[in-house]
Amino acid sequence: MRMGRRLGLLLLAFAAAWGSPALAYDRAQIAAQACFGAAGLSEAAATLTAGAASATSEDAAWAATLTGALLDKTIRCGAGASTIESPSGSVDAATLAKAAPADGPAPVLSLKNRPLVETARAAATLFAGATAGERAAALRALERRAASLPPDLFETAAAREPDAGLKEQILGVGQSALLNSPDVAKRIAAIERIAAQPSRRAETQIAALKRDPAYGKEAAFAAAVDAGLTSIDRWLRVSSVANTLYNGLSFASILFMAAVGLAIIFGLMGVINLAQGEFIMLGAYVTYAVQEALRAVAPGLLEWYLILAIPVVFLVVAAVGVALEATLVRRLYTRPLMTLLATWAVSLLIVNLVRVGVGTQNLQFVTPSWLAGGKLLVGDFIVTWNRLFAIVFAGVTLVATWAVLKRTRLGLNIRAVTQNRAMAGCIGVPTRRVDMMAFGLGSGLAGLAGLALCPIYNVNPQMGSNFVIDSFMVVVLGGVGTLAGTVVAALGVGQINVLIEPLYGAVAAKVIVLLMIVGFLQWRPEGLYAVKGRRK
Amino acid sequence: MMAPKRSLLARAADDRMVVAVALALAATAAVVVVGGLSGYRVNTIGQLACFALLALALDLIWGYAGILSLGHGLFFAVGGYVVGMHLLERSVAETGVTPDIVQFMGWKALPGWWGPLESFPVALAAAMGVSFAVAFVFGWASFRSRVSGVYFAIITQALVYVAMLLMFRNDTGFGGNNGMTGFQVVFGVPIQDPAVTKGLAVASVLALLAALVGCRLLMIGRFGRLLVATRDDEVRLRSLGYETLRLKLKVWCLSAVLAALAGLLYVPQVGIINPRVLSPELSIEIAVWCAIGGRGRLAGAIIGAVLVNAVKFALSASLPELWPFVLAALVIVVALIFPNGLLDLGKWKPTLLSRARALEPRDATP
C-alpha cells in the first residue's frame, strides 16, 4: 500500500514535471510527503516546483511558507498531520489553520535535497513574494538552475509581474531556460530572442551551445546558433563604434568649451591666453567650493550642486579673466608674444597658489543620483549620464554663445572689432571695453568647461595642461574668431583622438593630430573658417 | 658727408653690453682653467653656459626675426639624446659595464644602429644633422604656409609636447621615462674626474663665447639687417623682392643647431637625459630668460639666462616651493615695466616710463 502510494506520487510528480496540469496542489499529500524521508522530500519539492506556474496565488503563498519552514527547520513531523511553528503559534502544514504542534522533529535536508527545496521556495516566492526585492532575489536563485525548470514558469511569472524592470529580467532568464528545452523548435526560438538583445553575455550564452550535441546533429539548430552569433557580433561591433563616438563627442564637448573662449579672444585681440587651462581648473575648483558650501549650508540641495554652480563658476572665472585683461593683457596689446609669456606666468602663479592653498590631491566630487549610471541602448553601448551632461551642457553653451555673439550689442561689438578694430573704434565702439568683456566671456566659458568635466575627469592643480594644447590645436584648426570653425575643429580633434587611441594609443593620437594640423595648414593657413578680411 | 666705412669688428664692438659679456665669458673661462673653484661651482658655471647658449639661440629667432618658438627644448633634447647615446656606447666599449637602460628596456645590448655614434665626430654631426633636418622640415612647412607669430609659437609648443609624450613611452626606444644615465667616461676619462668637469665647463663657456661673437658678426651684417626688416615689416620686405621664407628658414635652422649644441654640452655635465627637457614649461622658460634679459641684443639673452638660472639654483636648494612664484613675478614685472628686459635698467627712470614704452621693440607684424 505504501509502495503503491509512493509510486503514484512519483508518477504524479513526473506528470507535473512534464506536462503542466492546471491543478491546485494536493496540499495534504505534499505536506505528508515532506515528512516522508529523503525520497518523499525530493518528490514534494519537484511537485511544488513543477506546479508553481499553474498554482493559484494562495497555493503559491502556501508553498513558499512550507518550503521556508523546511529550510528553517520550523516544521514538525508527527504521526498525524505535520505542523509549522509560526510566530503566532503552530499551524497545520497543509491548511495553515491553528493546530496542536506535532510531536516529531523536522526532517533533515540532505545535500541533494536542500537545493531542490530552495528552488521550490524560489519558484513559489517568484509568484507570491510580497516585494519586488524578494521576487528579484528569488529570480536570482532560479537563474542558476534555469535549465532544469519548466519553461512556462518564467513566462507565467513575467506575465503576472507588476514591476516592468523585473518583468524584463524574468523574461530574459526564461529565454535562457528555453535554450536548454528538449524541444528544438523552442530552443531555436529562444536563440533568436536572445540574439535580438545583443550583449557580451548573450554571446557567451549562445557560443556555449556550439558544444551542445544538438549542434552536430540538428542542421536547423546549428544554423540558428550561427546566425545568432553573427548577428550579435555585428551589433557588438556597432555598439563599440557607438561607444567610441560617444566618448569622442563628450571629449569634443569639453574641448569646444575650452577652446571657444580662446578663439573669441584670439580673433578679437590677436592674443592667446596661456592661462586658459588654469581657468578650466579654476572652474572645477569653484564647482567644488559650491559643493562644499551646499554640504555645509543646505545639504538638501547637494544633489543639484552642478546646476547651482553654473552662474557662480561663470561669474567668478569671468571676473578673474576681466582682472587679468585689465591688469596685464591690455598693457601688452602691441606685443602678443609678450602676452603669451605674461599669461603663462599667470598660469604658473594660479597652479602654484592652488597647490599651496588646497593641495595637489584629486578633489572628491559627489555624483548626484541623476548623473549616476546610464542607459544601455544597444549591445554594450551605454549612454552614461555624466558624459551626456557634458554634451548637453556644451550644446547649451554653444547656443548661448551664439546668441550672445549674434543677438546682443556686446556680440555685435565683438564682431565689429574682430573684423576691423580701427574702423570700429572710429565709429564709436568702445574697443577697450569690448576687449575686457570678451575676455571675461571667454574666461567664463573656460570655467564652465571645468564644471562640465568634474563628473568625468580627475580634478587637480595640473589638470589644465592636459587640455590647453588640445584647445590650441582646435583654435589653429578652426580658424580664429569663428564659432562654427571652433565647433567643427573640436569635433574633429575630439573624434580623431578617441578613434586613434584604441588602435595605436593616446600618444600616437596626439602625434597624428599634430601632423594633420601642420599638414592642414599647408592647405588652409587661415584655418577652416577664415574670417573674410584683408590678408595682413 | 659719408663716414668712412669701419671694419666689421669695430662695428661689432659698438654694443658695449656684448663686449662686456664677451669679456666676462673669457674671464670666466680663464678662472675655471686656473682653478681654485670647487667642482660644484665649476659644474654650475658649465650648466649656466649651456642655458645661456640655448637662450642665445632663441634670441636669434625671437629677438631678430620676431619668430617665437615655444618648442626649442626639442632641439636641445636632440643634442642631449644623441650625446647620451654616444656616451653610453663609449662607456660600454671602454669599461664593459652594462648600462641600466639595457636592463629596463629589456634589451640584450645597446641597439646595433647606435654603433656609429661611438665616434664623437659622428655623434656631433648626427646631433647637428638631426636638429637641422627637423628644423628644416618643420620650418619649411610652417613658413611656407605663412604661419607666424602666435600661431607658430603655439604649434611649436604642441610639437615639443608631442615629442615629450613620445619619449615618455618605452617603446620609442630611448629609455622611456628613465631616459639615459650611468655615463662612465667622457673621451676616455672617468666622468667623476675633476678634469672632466673642468673641461666640459670651459668647453661650454668657450662655445658660448664663440656663438656670441659669431652671431654678433652675423647680425650686424646684411643678413641681420634683413632679419630685423622681416621682423618689423615682412610684407614690405617681400614687396621689395626678398624671399623672406629663405631668410627665416636660415636663421631658424641656425638657431636649432645652436640649441642642439647646448644640449650636447649640457648632458655630460648633469649625467642624465630624460624626457623632462621636452616639457613645454622648460621651452617657455627659455623665452622667459630672453624676455627678462632683453631681446634682440644677444647679450640680454645671456644675462637673462644666467641670472634666472642662478636664482633658480640658489632657491631650489633652500626654498623649492618659492621658485615658481618668483619666476612668475619676474615675468610679469618685466612684461609690464621693462619692455626691453633688464637692459632697460641702465636707462630707467620712473618719469621716463612712458617714453621707455614708446621705444619698446614690437613683435613681428602678423
Side-chain angles (χ1 to χ4, degrees):
Chain A
M1 143 86 215
R2 234 183 190 183
M3 281 304 287
R5 201 171 108 192
R6 281 192 52 187
L7 205 68
L9 275 174
L10 261 176
L11 281 173
L12 218 159
F14 269 111
W18 292 130
S20 45
L23 33 97
Y25 292 129
D26 182 345
R27 293 190 185 188
Q29 203 179 26
I30 295 173
Q33 265 183 328
C35 286
F36 204 81
L41 200 56
S42 54
E43 276 160 29
T47 312
L48 288 176
T49 310
S54 50
T56 60
S57 53
E58 270 174 31
D59 272 354
W62 167 80
T65 313
L66 178 73
T67 45
L70 278 167
L71 289 167
D72 303 341
K73 296 214 182 321
T74 53
I75 189 164
R76 294 276 169 270
C77 296
S82 37
T83 58
I84 297 174
E85 294 171 29
S86 69
S88 56
S90 70
V91 294
D92 185 287
T95 60
L96 298 185
K98 286 247 185 259
D103 51 359
V108 179
L109 293 180
S110 66
L111 273 180
K112 182 169 147 290
N113 275 341
R114 176 171 282 278
L116 292 178
V117 177
E118 278 173 351
T119 308
R121 175 165 74 160
T125 311
L126 188 61
F127 286 91
T131 65
E134 272 180 50
R135 294 195 296 273
L139 180 68
R140 277 195 295 279
L142 290 174
E143 197 171 1
R144 290 192 295 272
R145 313 177 39 100
S148 61
L149 292 169
D152 57 346
L153 177 96
F154 294 106
E155 282 177 38
T156 321
R160 291 194 207 162
E161 176 59 53
D163 181 304
L166 193 55
K167 189 191 274 266
E168 282 291 312
Q169 287 176 14
I170 296 176
L171 275 177
V173 175
Q175 275 149 12
S176 319
L178 278 174
L179 277 183
N180 299 316
S181 121
D183 180 352
V184 174
K186 277 191 181 171
R187 294 184 84 172
I188 292 174
I191 290 171
E192 281 164 4
R193 272 203 299 271
I194 288 183
Q197 300 284 332
S199 70
R200 292 263 163 240
R201 212 171 128 254
E203 191 176 34
T204 46
Q205 256 185 337
I206 295 186
L209 293 177
K210 284 196 156 190
R211 292 189 295 279
D212 197 283
Y215 186 75
K217 293 183 202 140
E218 304 265 358
F221 178 76
V225 170
D226 292 343
L229 278 177
T230 319
S231 131
I232 290 179
D233 190 52
R234 189 171 53 239
W235 279 111
L236 282 181
R237 274 208 299 271
V238 167
S239 71
S240 92
V241 169
N243 261 331
T244 308
L245 289 176
Y246 182 64
N247 289 346
L249 191 58
S250 74
F251 181 61
S253 303
I254 306 276
L255 216 49
F256 162 75
M257 295 174 70
V260 68
L262 277 176
I264 292 173
I265 296 167
F266 191 23
L268 185 76
M269 311 163 68
V271 300
I272 282 276
N273 171 18
L274 273 188
Q276 188 82 353
E278 278 56 49
F279 285 175
I280 296 174
M281 185 258 286
L282 278 184
Y285 271 73
V286 174
T287 311
Y288 182 75
V290 169
Q291 172 192 300
E292 294 306 299
L294 284 175
R295 198 199 294 275
V297 179
L301 291 174
L302 191 58
E303 193 66 341
W304 304 105
Y305 77 93
L306 277 172
I307 307 294
L308 294 172
I310 290 173
V312 184
V313 167
F314 185 84
L315 290 174
V316 170
V317 183
V320 175
V322 168
L324 175 66
E325 202 278 337
T327 53
L328 212 59
V329 177
R330 149 168 322 188
R331 295 165 198 278
L332 302 173
Y333 65 92
T334 53
R335 296 182 295 152
L337 294 177
M338 206 63 194
T339 313
L340 214 59
L341 295 188
T343 50
W344 173 76
V346 170
S347 82
L348 194 66
L349 207 59
I350 294 176
V351 168
N352 283 286
L353 281 174
V354 172
R355 198 181 282 173
V356 171
V358 188
T360 53
Q361 71 285 359
N362 287 342
L363 293 185
Q364 296 303 316
F365 283 93
V366 177
T367 307
S369 58
W370 51 276
L371 273 190
K375 178 151 177 48
L376 189 73
L377 277 192
V378 60
D380 289 345
F381 175 42
I382 301 178
V383 172
T384 47
W385 300 141
N386 58 357
R387 288 184 186 273
L388 190 65
F389 172 74
I391 294 168
V392 171
F393 195 62
V396 173
T397 310
L398 169 61
V399 172
T401 313
W402 181 86
V404 167
L405 287 178
K406 296 280 179 193
R407 294 274 178 276
T408 64
R409 177 152 284 275
L410 171 68
L412 185 67
N413 288 343
I414 289 178
R415 283 181 291 137
V417 178
T418 302
Q419 278 181 19
N420 192 330
R421 175 174 291 267
M423 182 66 76
C426 288
I427 57 174
V429 175
T431 52
R432 290 273 151 251
R433 211 171 71 221
V434 171
D435 284 349
M436 195 166 78
M437 299 297 285
F439 215 93
L441 177 70
S443 311
L445 289 172
L448 290 183
L451 182 149
L453 58 77
C454 285
I456 309 178
Y457 296 97
N458 284 337
V459 173
N460 55 42
Q462 284 85 35
M463 68 188 280
S465 58
N466 299 335
F467 285 91
V468 78
I469 296 207
D470 277 323
S471 22
F472 289 147
M473 291 293 100
V474 169
V475 174
V476 171
L477 188 61
V480 294
T482 75
L483 207 52
T486 312
V487 174
V488 174
L491 286 172
V493 172
Q495 293 295 4
I496 289 167
N497 259 314
V498 293
L499 282 179
I500 298 173
E501 233 168 273
L503 299 176
Y504 307 104
V507 175
K510 292 254 189 298
V511 174
I512 291 171
V513 168
L514 176 73
L515 292 179
M516 280 174 61
I517 286 172
V518 172
F520 172 85
L521 286 176
Q522 302 300 304
W523 170 55
R524 298 198 66 153
E526 307 273 315
L528 272 172
Y529 292 76
V531 179
K532 295 261 187 306
R534 275 198 305 179
R535 267 303 282 275
K536 293 199 189 79
Chain B
M1 141 163 188
M2 287 272 292
K5 197 162 167 71
R6 303 156 62 214
S7 75
L8 194 63
L9 272 176
R11 278 191 294 141
D14 278 349
D15 189 340
R16 281 192 221 130
M17 284 305 283
V18 172
V19 175
V21 169
L23 289 175
L25 287 176
T28 310
V31 169
V32 171
V33 170
V34 170
L37 291 175
S38 68
Y40 171 77
R41 281 279 154 75
V42 171
N43 183 266
T44 306
I45 288 172
Q47 285 188 46
L48 289 178
C50 292
F51 290 139
L53 184 55
L54 192 52
L56 185 79
L58 190 75
D59 195 30
L60 280 188
I61 52 170
W62 188 24
Y64 286 90
I67 308 164
L68 174 57
S69 157
L70 291 183
H72 244 46
L74 179 70
F75 305 113
F76 188 71
V78 166
Y81 269 102
V82 170
V83 82
M85 285 144 77
H86 158 77
L87 290 173
L88 284 177
E89 283 286 345
R90 288 294 292 254
S91 300
V92 171
E94 290 178 38
T95 63
V97 178
T98 316
D100 293 344
I101 186 171
V102 173
Q103 271 119 39
F104 60 69
M105 296 291 289
W107 295 335
K108 301 213 167 20
L110 294 176
W113 64 271
W114 290 18
L117 292 170
E118 198 185 318
S119 92
F120 183 72
V122 172
L124 186 67
M128 304 291 144
V130 171
S131 59
F132 181 88
V134 171
F136 185 87
V137 171
F138 183 78
W140 181 81
S142 302
F143 301 140
R144 199 191 130 266
S145 53
R146 304 208 181 150
V147 171
S148 62
V150 179
Y151 260 47
F152 187 79
I154 294 304
I155 293 183
T156 46
Q157 191 187 9
L159 186 71
V160 81
Y161 175 69
V162 164
M164 175 180 78
L165 291 179
L166 270 178
M167 281 304 199
F168 263 121
R169 293 181 60 96
N170 270 343
D171 50 18
T172 312
F174 294 97
N177 57 354
N178 299 295
M180 301 176 192
T181 183
F183 311 127
Q184 306 289 336
V185 290
V186 179
F187 292 125
V189 187
I191 200 156
Q192 299 83 359
D193 194 316
V196 168
T197 317
K198 208 180 253 191
L200 285 170
V202 171
S204 305
V205 175
L206 291 181
L208 175 61
L209 180 58
L212 173 65
V213 173
C215 290
R216 172 70 187 161
L217 292 176
L218 195 61
M219 289 302 129
I220 57 171
R222 182 188 166 80
F223 181 63
R225 291 293 176 87
L226 285 173
L227 282 183
V228 174
T230 309
R231 177 188 76 192
D232 291 343
D233 200 338
E234 191 179 346
V235 177
R236 188 174 300 181
L237 201 62
R238 264 209 302 270
S239 320
L240 290 170
Y242 288 97
E243 177 53 283
T244 52
L245 168 64
R246 275 196 193 172
L247 284 171
K248 285 174 164 182
L249 207 48
K250 277 179 191 163
V251 74
W252 170 246
C253 291
L254 171 66
S255 172
V257 168
L258 281 179
L261 182 66
L264 193 109
L265 289 162
Y266 175 76
V267 166
Q269 300 189 68
V270 288
I272 184 165
I273 171 79
N274 64 24
R276 291 230 197 104
V277 298
L278 287 163
S279 74
E281 283 73 28
L282 175 81
S283 292
I284 293 184
E285 267 185 52
I286 305 168
V288 167
W289 305 335
C290 286
I292 287 178
R295 303 189 280 138
R297 289 186 58 185
L298 298 177
I302 294 174
I303 293 172
V306 169
L307 273 182
V308 173
N309 282 294
V311 175
K312 187 178 179 175
F313 282 146
L315 276 181
S316 299
S318 51
L319 295 163
E321 292 84 24
L322 197 60
W323 169 241
F325 293 100
V326 173
L327 182 64
L330 263 178
V331 177
I332 291 169
V333 166
V334 163
L336 286 180
I337 302 177
F338 305 119
N340 301 309
L342 296 178
L343 293 184
D344 272 350
L345 272 178
K347 55 187 176 196
W348 186 59
K349 299 189 188 67
T351 50
L352 289 181
L353 192 57
S354 50
R355 195 180 304 176
R357 190 160 293 141
L359 293 170
E360 73 197 28
R362 295 173 65 105
D363 282 324
T365 45

